[in-house]
Amino acid sequence: MLESIYIGMSGLTAYAKGLQTISNNVANLNTAGFKTSTPGFADLYYGQQFARGEPGAMNTMQFGSGVEYGYSSLNFAQGDLRVSNGQLDLAIQGKGFLTLLDGDTARYARTGQFAVGNDGFIEDKATGLKLAALSASGSLGPISLAGKQISPPQATTVIRFSDNLSTGSTSFSIPDVDVFDANGGKHTLTIAFAPDSSIVPGRWQVTVSDENNIPVQQGTLQFNGGIPEPGRDRIDFTLTSADAPPLTVTLDFSTGVTGFSAGSFSSLRVSDKDGYGTGTLSSMNVDVDGRLVLQYSNGQTDELGTIALASFANPQQLVQQGNGLFDASHASPPQYRSSNGAGVGQLLAGATEASNVDLSTEFGQLILIQRGFQASSQVISTANEMIMQLFQMRGQG
């Protein structure tokens, strides 16, 4: 009967640990990225005693030694995806894990809220671990904004035009044409057109003036049958500045420009031009392919790499560590993929994943564990009463 007491005590110990697991699940109801654990129990070592042999029966009897709290499995079911305001709040719809670097050690998470740290690396706000990305060669490394805060300028080299310059116009001009020099300085030009058909039909005098309305250069545009004549459909001009090297720009009328009569109305316009000034980083976002895209105030974009998603053959080998992190020290090495790659889901920006705690399931488990605890307690009470009865019988003898 003493063995029965010890068996009952093993039940109390095991169910107390099961209650601890359920309590932890319920307490993390609102913890982003949390995955519940399902408690598991295992029977203990069986001893044997010899019994009187009977035909067709074993001559031993087996007695168990109780129960222990066994392996608790993680439930990786998808949690609810919730929209957030952070540009770098990340969640995964489907399988896979974000990869976070703690020095040379990798940790994994289902969701996270990230920001640019003081050292320029993108890191998790809660843990300070650095978000990892895949390079072009497929290697893994932290994402750094070093040298990416500024978008360097590019000088304007060509201005392209389209639409019609009517032969009936006595004058026409296109104001507020912005060009940029090699240092990012902006120069606002006016391009004026005056007919010069007294010498050759279809000829126009083109004058480029700076922001002070001072002519910079003049050139000739020639139409032949309403189409710019090859060799006379481009005009080069050079703009000088005290703060930058001389800027040479080509006015290109070769494609999409016509010179037909439309009365006094001309629709000629700038259709395209290159060059831009210095830009500062204005926003960051993650596209559908998991690439981290930088956007600058000058309209330019840049990419920092593809955020790495880890795919594990057996996620049950991961160990939940707190702060939404998982340790993979005892797991097989993962495969790293981009968003929507083999074995991983889609990476979502501006979203977080809620915990996958289901209160109805947890309360059902809670009732079962409570009943097990009560039953084990009853076994101990019954064994104790039987021992007391033995002591009383001895005293009466």
Side-chain angles (χ1 to χ4, degrees):
M1 282 181 287
L2 288 175
E3 290 84 356
S4 299
I5 292 179
Y6 287 121
I7 290 174
M9 290 178 61
S10 72
L12 295 180
T13 301
Y15 289 118
K17 292 180 179 179
L19 178 62
Q20 183 177 352
T21 299
I22 299 300
S23 300
N24 186 61
N25 290 345
V26 174
N28 284 281
L29 175 66
N30 293 313
T31 301
F34 177 79
K35 299 301 178 185
T36 60
S37 296
T38 302
F41 301 93
D43 52 352
L44 291 176
Y45 169 75
Y46 282 83
Q48 295 182 347
Q49 290 183 356
F50 287 100
R52 179 178 299 176
E54 297 180 3
M58 298 177 59
N59 63 349
T60 60
M61 294 184 299
Q62 290 186 326
F63 295 94
S65 300
V67 65
E68 67 175 348
Y69 186 77
Y71 176 77
S72 60
S73 59
L74 287 171
N75 175 18
F76 285 101
Q78 178 83 54
D80 292 336
L81 297 177
R82 299 176 178 175
V83 177
S84 64
N85 296 324
Q87 293 178 335
L88 293 180
D89 291 353
L90 302 177
I92 304 171
Q93 186 173 24
K95 297 180 179 180
F97 297 83
L98 297 168
T99 305
L100 307 179
L101 298 178
D102 182 7
D104 295 330
T105 304
R107 299 285 185 262
Y108 303 92
R110 283 285 302 176
T111 189
Q113 294 180 302
F114 299 92
V116 180
N118 295 331
D119 55 0
F121 289 95
I122 295 179
E123 59 187 33
D124 183 45
K125 293 179 181 179
T127 64
L129 300 186
K130 296 176 175 59
L131 181 64
L134 292 170
S135 66
S137 61
S139 61
L140 200 66
I143 305 174
S144 174
L145 265 70
K148 298 290 185 178
Q149 299 286 351
I150 299 294
S151 173
Q154 178 176 307
T156 303
T157 60
V158 62
I159 302 173
R160 297 181 179 87
F161 297 82
S162 63
D163 291 346
N164 187 60
L165 182 59
S166 176
T167 57
S169 297
T170 57
S171 64
F172 180 73
S173 64
I174 302 177
D176 302 327
V177 179
D178 293 333
V179 297
F180 297 89
D181 58 36
N183 290 338
K186 184 173 74 171
H187 306 272
T188 303
L189 308 178
T190 299
I191 305 174
F193 301 83
D196 194 12
S197 58
S198 59
I199 301 176
V200 178
R203 177 170 293 183
W204 292 79
Q205 190 75 26
V206 181
T207 303
V208 179
S209 302
D210 62 16
E211 51 266 17
N212 298 317
N213 204 28
I214 299 175
V216 174
Q217 195 161 333
Q218 289 186 336
T220 300
L221 172 63
Q222 180 68 54
F223 288 92
N224 189 354
I227 304 298
E229 183 178 306
R232 295 189 176 182
D233 53 3
R234 288 180 173 86
I235 300 173
D236 294 336
F237 71 90
T238 300
L239 186 68
T240 59
S241 172
D243 300 325
L247 175 66
T248 300
V249 181
T250 298
L251 305 181
D252 187 354
F253 303 92
S254 61
T255 304
V257 175
T258 58
F260 300 111
S261 176
S264 60
F265 175 75
S266 292
S267 58
L268 186 69
R269 61 184 178 86
V270 175
S271 61
D272 182 39
K273 58 186 176 70
D274 61 0
Y276 45 84
T278 303
T280 57
L281 184 63
S282 57
S283 66
M284 295 178 287
N285 63 78
V286 179
D287 64 14
V288 294
D289 295 321
R291 293 187 295 260
L292 184 60
V293 180
L294 307 180
Q295 297 178 334
Y296 296 92
S297 59
N298 59 0
Q300 301 306 299
T301 60
D302 196 4
E303 294 182 6
L304 282 183
T306 302
I307 295 175
L309 299 184
S311 173
F312 289 91
N314 182 12
Q316 288 297 330
Q317 294 178 328
L318 298 176
V319 178
Q320 196 160 221
Q321 289 191 314
N323 284 321
L325 298 178
F326 295 87
D327 176 66
S329 300
H330 304 288
S332 300
Q335 298 291 323
Y336 295 104
R337 314 286 187 188
S338 59
S339 178
N340 285 321
V344 298
Q346 181 179 356
L347 184 64
L348 302 177
T352 58
E353 182 183 359
S355 72
N356 63 351
V357 176
D358 182 359
L359 285 180
S360 60
T361 300
E362 300 302 322
F363 288 161
Q365 291 278 1
L366 183 62
I367 293 173
L368 292 176
I369 288 177
Q370 183 181 14
R371 292 293 178 263
F373 189 92
Q374 290 174 340
S376 297
S377 176
Q378 186 63 40
V379 167
I380 296 175
S381 297
T382 302
N384 181 61
E385 291 177 0
M386 294 175 66
I387 293 174
M388 293 300 297
Q389 289 179 357
L390 288 175
F391 286 158
Q392 292 173 0
M393 291 174 59
R394 180 178 178 182
Q396 293 175 358

